[in-house]
Amino acid sequence: MKDKQEYDKGRQLHIEDYLQENKLETEGNVEVPNTLVVSKLKEVDTKTVTNELLEKILSRDNMNIAYKRVKANKGASGIDDMQVDELLQYLKENGEQIKEDIRKGEYNPKAVRRVEIPKTDGSKRKLGIPTVVDRVIQQAIAQQLSKIYEPIFSENSYGFRPNRSCHDAILKAKEIMNNGYDWVVDIDLEKFFDTVNQDLLISVIRRTVNEDKVVSLIRKYLQAGVLVKGVFEKTEKGTPQGGNISPILSNIMLNELDKELESRGLQFVRYADDCIILTKSKKAAERVMKNITKFIEKKLRLKVNKKKSKVDRPWKIKYLGISYYQSKEKIEIRIHPKSIEKFKNKIRKITSRSNAMNMETRYTKLKQVTRGWVNYFKIANMKGIAQNLDKWIRRRIRMCYWKQWKTSKNRKMFLMSEKWTTL
């Protein structure tokens, strides 16, 4: 739990023109291409862009920015137990040697420390925590890769990108739905970060990044391995979640899917590995599900979770914690019931009568959880839900006070006090 809390602190959590008319319905163009889609580079001269890329990564300014971001994010230590506070002194003493080793191709990243975070469905999300030194190097690489790839990423991709967020993705989906695309193809990629084919990913990167030493360094981070309860395990596939470079690598890989969807003239929204495709009819949606699933599994070599993937109406899906509903005039945003229940479970833990937490600490934790939840879901129409939750939380708080007061005398005294009237 301590690892999770420390890691969560370090996490950095994330509407424009319509795409062209759905060619799938107008032309019936549903065949999977014979070759992997080559990303459109929008006239970016990759030879110029990636010239001396390694030196840009290792430049003083880029490394300083990377260091500051890693320091600001804090987070848990890696397998060497070095803390973020110790990082500056270490880099002062060893920074130049690390850079020289990278230039020579002799730098070898350390394995990441495995942390498993429980998910609501009972499974566990596997996170890899790199050493703080490797986090700085990964961040430095990611910063330069972002400059190269941002101009060629899809306008309908919102995850882990500057000045884009979950709210933008949710609003874009709403916009498309209100333009008549009210059937949803909800494709769930099974354990995406754990199953990415590294050879395919590297081949995609090589199309744009033409420096062998940079590509080799990226591959080394992919294959650095993990330490699980003191036992080293190879990482021959996947991009371990937790590393600073994983978000940009995932977007590079899934940009192939974006370009395929664009080439078919499909309306879609993607946030990281959460992708929904929108069509005007159920029949078109079913064709899209069949053919895009084939593309993902055959060409991208990823696994589609067929149990969780489905074709349905917007008000029957859960996307980034929200859902949609049909009002009199248009489709609007609502909070999905599972998101409400997840929030209530957090409140129940904080306000449990068996919890020995004092009331000041309870209030602090309640404010943190409630403020974060409201800030995320404020995009939805939630007035009635917020009012009901407020009443419910107050009842939970009164329950805690009731047990704390214990005796009838105390309960009578506090019930008559002025403070009680505000609860």
Side-chain angles (χ1 to χ4, degrees):
M1 180 60 71
K2 182 179 178 182
D3 288 336
K4 178 183 182 300
Q5 292 171 343
E6 290 177 323
Y7 176 76
D8 285 346
K9 291 179 182 178
R11 294 283 289 171
Q12 296 180 336
L13 296 182
H14 356 343
I15 315 180
E16 300 189 3
D17 299 333
Y18 293 120
L19 295 176
Q20 58 185 321
E21 184 179 356
N22 192 336
K23 293 181 183 176
L24 182 64
E25 292 186 74
T26 58
E27 300 177 13
N29 180 21
V30 296
E31 293 300 322
V32 177
N34 292 326
T35 58
L36 187 64
V37 173
V38 177
S39 300
K40 298 175 184 177
L41 300 185
K42 295 184 180 178
E43 299 182 356
V44 174
D45 185 344
T46 58
K47 292 184 179 179
T48 300
V49 171
T50 60
N51 185 40
E52 298 180 352
L53 178 58
L54 184 62
E55 290 307 316
K56 291 180 181 179
I57 291 170
L58 299 178
S59 69
R60 183 181 181 86
D61 289 344
N62 190 57
M63 293 295 287
N64 281 341
I65 294 170
Y67 162 75
K68 289 177 181 178
R69 289 183 179 175
V70 170
K71 183 180 179 182
N73 290 339
K74 298 181 181 179
S77 61
I79 63 172
D80 61 356
D81 292 326
M82 184 186 296
Q83 303 296 322
V84 175
D85 294 340
E86 304 172 64
L87 181 57
L88 180 59
Q89 185 60 37
Y90 182 85
L91 291 178
K92 284 180 179 179
E93 296 173 359
N94 302 279
E96 290 305 317
Q97 184 59 52
I98 291 172
K99 288 183 181 181
E100 190 60 29
D101 289 344
I102 292 174
R103 289 188 181 99
K104 293 178 180 179
E106 296 175 357
Y107 181 80
N108 293 307
K110 290 183 171 62
V112 300
R113 181 161 60 85
R114 171 64 51 80
V115 176
E116 294 185 344
I117 308 300
K119 297 171 69 174
T120 53
D121 60 2
S123 61
K124 293 183 178 181
R125 178 181 288 110
K126 296 179 180 180
L127 301 178
I129 303 179
T131 65
V132 290
V133 173
D134 283 327
R135 292 214 288 270
V136 171
I137 299 171
Q138 285 192 31
Q139 180 63 34
I141 298 171
Q143 287 166 185
Q144 292 301 316
L145 288 182
S146 181
K147 292 178 181 179
I148 297 170
Y149 281 98
E150 272 302 312
I152 65 178
F153 281 156
S154 170
E155 287 298 317
N156 288 55
S157 165
Y158 294 90
F160 310 125
R161 296 184 62 188
N163 303 316
R164 287 170 174 252
S165 67
C166 289
H167 287 178
D168 294 327
I170 292 166
L171 288 171
K172 181 62 178 179
K174 174 188 170 184
E175 181 183 330
I176 296 172
M177 291 171 188
N178 281 312
N179 201 36
Y181 295 84
D182 54 1
W183 279 93
V184 181
V185 180
D186 186 3
I187 296 179
D188 184 89
L189 298 180
E190 187 173 329
K191 298 180 179 179
F192 167 73
F193 286 93
D194 297 329
T195 59
V196 170
N197 185 290
Q198 293 179 358
D199 291 334
L200 180 57
L201 173 58
I202 291 297
S203 71
V204 171
I205 293 172
R206 279 191 179 278
R207 296 180 196 155
T208 310
V209 178
N210 57 7
E211 288 192 26
D212 290 340
K213 288 184 178 180
V214 174
V215 176
S216 175
L217 184 59
I218 293 171
R219 185 183 281 277
K220 284 181 179 180
Y221 274 111
L222 290 173
Q223 299 180 340
V226 296
L227 204 64
V228 184
K229 297 179 181 179
V231 179
F232 177 82
E233 293 182 4
K234 292 182 180 180
T235 49
E236 296 177 346
K237 61 180 180 178
T239 59
Q241 284 180 275
N244 297 56
I245 201 173
S246 291
I248 184 73
L249 294 183
S250 68
N251 272 337
I252 291 171
M253 188 68 185
L254 289 174
N255 190 52
E256 299 301 312
L257 173 60
D258 296 343
K259 296 307 177 184
E260 173 67 12
L261 297 176
E262 287 178 351
S263 72
R264 293 169 180 253
L266 294 171
Q267 306 279 4
F268 70 97
V269 177
R270 182 176 66 79
Y271 188 93
D273 58 331
D274 291 317
C275 181
I276 56 173
I277 307 167
L278 300 114
T279 68
K280 289 185 176 181
S281 70
K282 183 178 181 181
K283 187 176 181 180
E286 289 172 344
R287 288 201 301 267
V288 169
M289 172 67 83
K290 177 182 177 181
N291 287 280
I292 295 303
T293 296
K294 187 185 296 184
F295 173 82
I296 290 172
E297 295 188 335
K298 299 293 185 182
K299 302 301 180 180
L300 299 186
R301 304 177 200 172
L302 297 170
K303 179 70 174 177
V304 173
N305 189 328
K306 293 181 175 62
K307 290 183 179 179
K308 292 184 178 180
S309 300
K310 62 179 180 178
V311 169
D312 219 327
R313 297 296 235 170
W315 41 91
K316 292 184 179 181
I317 66 155
K318 177 174 179 277
Y319 182 62
L320 301 177
I322 63 91
S323 188
Y324 299 87
Y325 70 94
Q326 181 72 60
S327 68
K328 292 181 180 179
E329 298 180 353
K330 57 183 179 179
I331 292 175
E332 298 287 359
I333 301 168
R334 69 182 178 93
I335 306 173
H336 195 278
K338 288 185 179 179
S339 298
I340 297 173
E341 189 59 30
K342 186 177 179 181
F343 171 71
K344 292 178 78 171
N345 286 336
K346 290 181 180 180
I347 299 300
R348 287 188 183 102
K349 288 182 180 179
I350 296 171
T351 58
S352 172
R353 287 179 295 179
S354 60
N355 192 329
M357 196 184 302
N358 63 56
M359 292 308 295
E360 287 186 7
T361 304
R362 265 189 232 270
Y363 276 125
T364 299
K365 290 185 176 295
L366 281 172
K367 286 179 181 178
Q368 291 172 345
V369 171
T370 304
R371 186 179 292 117
W373 192 82
V374 170
N375 282 340
Y376 183 82
F377 288 105
K378 65 185 179 183
I379 195 173
N381 294 338
M382 58 178 294
K383 182 178 178 181
I385 292 172
Q387 289 174 337
N388 290 333
L389 286 173
D390 179 67
K391 294 175 184 177
W392 178 75
I393 292 172
R394 288 175 183 273
R395 287 200 300 272
R396 299 286 302 182
I397 293 172
R398 289 195 290 269
M399 180 186 69
C400 294
Y401 275 114
W402 193 253
K403 182 178 182 182
Q404 189 180 62
W405 292 337
K406 294 182 180 179
T407 66
S408 299
K409 182 179 178 180
N410 283 342
R411 287 171 178 170
K412 181 179 180 180
M413 179 181 69
F414 282 111
L415 283 172
M416 294 175 67
S417 69
E418 184 178 342
K419 179 181 179 181
W420 181 251
T421 60
T422 62
L423 295 174

